[in-house]
Amino acid sequence: MARVKRGVTAHAKHKKVYKATKGHYGRRRNTIRIAKQSMEKAMQYAYRDRKNKKRTFRALWIQRLNAAVRPFGLNYSKFIDGLAKAGVTVDRKVLSEIAIAEPAAFAAIVEKVKAALPQQKAAA
């Protein structure tokens, strides 16, 4: 049986690791054992942070909406409650974009929400 030389395969595998660790510091970039560990850890962080990114952006949209509805005498939770009662099915991402880019349109949405909410009694 003929001898199989695996230099080409090994080199290709190493190249893939080195490409993934481009930009890492020191031996984490150019020594295969350490580069492989570095790459695996980086991929774990990337997987985790793809999930966290969604969480972070949702929190940002909520903060923006809360800040946008305060001048209208509402807070975020009342605004979301009013949206549901008014039958407005626009998500938080789009609402925050509207609040920034189209203040007049956002004001119209807020008025619709206020109309759907039960009126508060005035403090005596």
Side-chain angles (χ1 to χ4, degrees), residues 50-109:
R50 279 194 300 274
K51 311 291 180 250
N52 287 355
K53 185 178 177 184
K54 295 164 183 57
R55 195 180 309 165
T56 307
F57 269 103
R58 184 180 169 98
L60 174 67
W61 301 328
I62 289 170
Q63 287 170 6
R64 284 179 176 172
L65 285 175
N66 197 18
V69 297
R70 291 288 172 148
F72 296 99
L74 290 173
N75 62 18
Y76 170 77
S77 64
K78 286 193 178 87
F79 177 67
I80 292 297
D81 182 38
L83 279 175
K85 287 178 179 166
V88 179
T89 56
V90 182
D91 65 355
R92 288 157 182 81
K93 177 183 178 179
V94 175
L95 280 168
S96 75
E97 292 296 321
I98 291 171
I100 293 166
E102 302 286 337
F106 188 72
I109 292 171

Side-chain angles (χ1 to χ4, degrees), residues 7-36:
V8 176
T9 311
H11 186 251
K13 281 184 178 178
H14 289 187
K15 239 168 84 170
K16 195 187 296 184
V17 173
Y18 292 141
K19 186 178 180 196
T21 57
K22 183 180 174 203
H24 291 203
Y25 186 80
R27 290 196 324 167
R28 295 167 63 92
R29 171 176 65 232
N30 54 21
T31 305
I32 192 62
R33 280 188 185 179
I34 299 163
K36 201 182 279 188

Side-chain angles (χ1 to χ4, degrees), residues 34-52:
I34 299 163
K36 201 182 279 188
Q37 292 172 359
S38 176
M39 181 189 75
E40 285 174 2
K41 187 57 125 179
M43 291 174 80
Q44 286 175 348
Y45 287 141
Y47 177 82
R48 178 197 70 191
D49 291 339
R50 279 194 300 274
K51 311 291 180 250
N52 287 355

